[in-house]
Amino acid sequence: MASTSTLLTRREAAEIGRVPLNAIDKAIEQGVVKPKRSKGKPLLPAHEVALLVLLRQIDVALPPKAKARLRKWLAHLQPLAVGSELALSEALRIAMTEDVAQTVERAESYVRLRDLYIERNPAVMGGEPVIKGTRVPVRTIASLIEMGETHEVLREDYPHIPEEAYSVAVLWAHANPRRGRPPAPWDSTETPPVGERHTTQGT
């Protein structure tokens, strides 16, 4: 079962679930998913992202009551075993897929590493999100990796940064483009939130 503290911004959910942002917005508007709110921002538990992925795989229009049952099943399914089934009717059974299970694992791993390695402190680099305990901007590490820098070189240049921080830096940067940066083809025009620390945080 996804931890109640595994909360993702809409953009993080889109990256992790590989779901278009406009599809997430539509699902929120229609009440298909039920985000939590922090400072007015919608934050999605991992099981809500899993629901969107599973509904996309089903590719069949389900009535609201069936979606509600599916959401409840995903929220309380433990362990999240591939092949576990929910019978929506005598003729329709929904099975947990590898992709959905991996989505929840990715979400939980991302949140753990995000909260461990990314921080925003107004006294450090003007509030630019950095790798915790350093003055190295998260976007700097992400940019180097995307330009092809190897982990070996990064370890030499930044020996004080744990290697497991690299992947979370890339995903965080994708979910938090700089203001003014052209959006991804499937992205909306909403200005993204920037790196709040995790209480019921979203970045």
Side-chain angles (χ1 to χ4, degrees):
M1 178 173 63
S3 167
T4 56
S5 63
T6 307
L7 297 175
L8 305 157
T9 66
R10 295 161 43 260
R11 292 178 183 271
E12 288 173 332
E15 290 289 336
I16 290 170
R18 303 183 179 99
V19 177
L21 186 60
N22 58 6
I24 292 178
D25 290 340
K26 183 176 180 180
I28 293 174
E29 291 171 5
Q30 295 179 343
V32 174
V33 297
K34 308 274 187 194
K36 298 181 182 297
R37 295 274 172 178
S38 177
K39 299 180 181 178
K41 299 174 184 176
L43 301 176
L44 297 172
H47 70 267
E48 299 286 4
V49 185
L51 173 63
L52 292 173
V53 175
L54 191 53
L55 288 174
R56 183 185 63 198
Q57 292 178 347
I58 295 171
D59 197 26
V60 172
L62 296 177
K65 286 185 178 180
K67 291 179 181 178
R69 287 186 61 194
L70 192 55
R71 180 190 305 111
K72 185 176 180 179
W73 177 65
L74 287 171
H76 297 285
L77 184 62
Q78 189 176 14
L80 204 62
V82 175
S84 299
E85 293 186 349
L86 170 68
L88 291 177
S89 70
E90 291 185 6
L92 180 60
R93 303 177 73 87
I94 305 298
M96 173 60 60
T97 68
E98 183 70 31
D99 193 32
V100 174
Q102 288 180 354
T103 294
V104 174
E105 291 176 3
R106 285 196 303 270
E108 292 181 337
S109 175
Y110 169 75
V111 169
R112 178 181 66 83
L113 295 176
R114 177 195 66 190
D115 295 348
L116 183 61
Y117 291 118
I118 297 178
E119 70 175 352
R120 181 183 182 186
N121 185 338
V124 178
M125 301 296 291
E128 171 75 12
V130 298
I131 302 299
K132 190 173 182 178
T134 78
R135 297 179 62 83
V136 180
V138 176
R139 292 188 179 93
T140 295
I141 296 297
S143 294
L144 289 171
I145 292 172
E146 293 194 318
M147 288 188 295
E149 198 69 275
T150 66
H151 285 197
E152 289 75 13
V153 171
L154 287 173
R155 284 196 299 267
E156 292 177 2
D157 292 345
Y158 303 98
H160 51 304
I161 296 179
E163 191 166 348
E164 66 176 356
Y166 300 162
S167 60
V168 74
V170 172
L171 198 156
W172 185 91
H174 284 175
N176 293 272
R178 290 185 183 279
R179 284 184 169 85
R181 173 180 171 180
W186 47 263
D187 211 346
S188 76
T189 57
E190 176 185 315
T191 302
V194 178
E196 294 179 4
R197 289 297 298 146
H198 183 62
T199 49
T200 52
Q201 73 186 40
T203 50

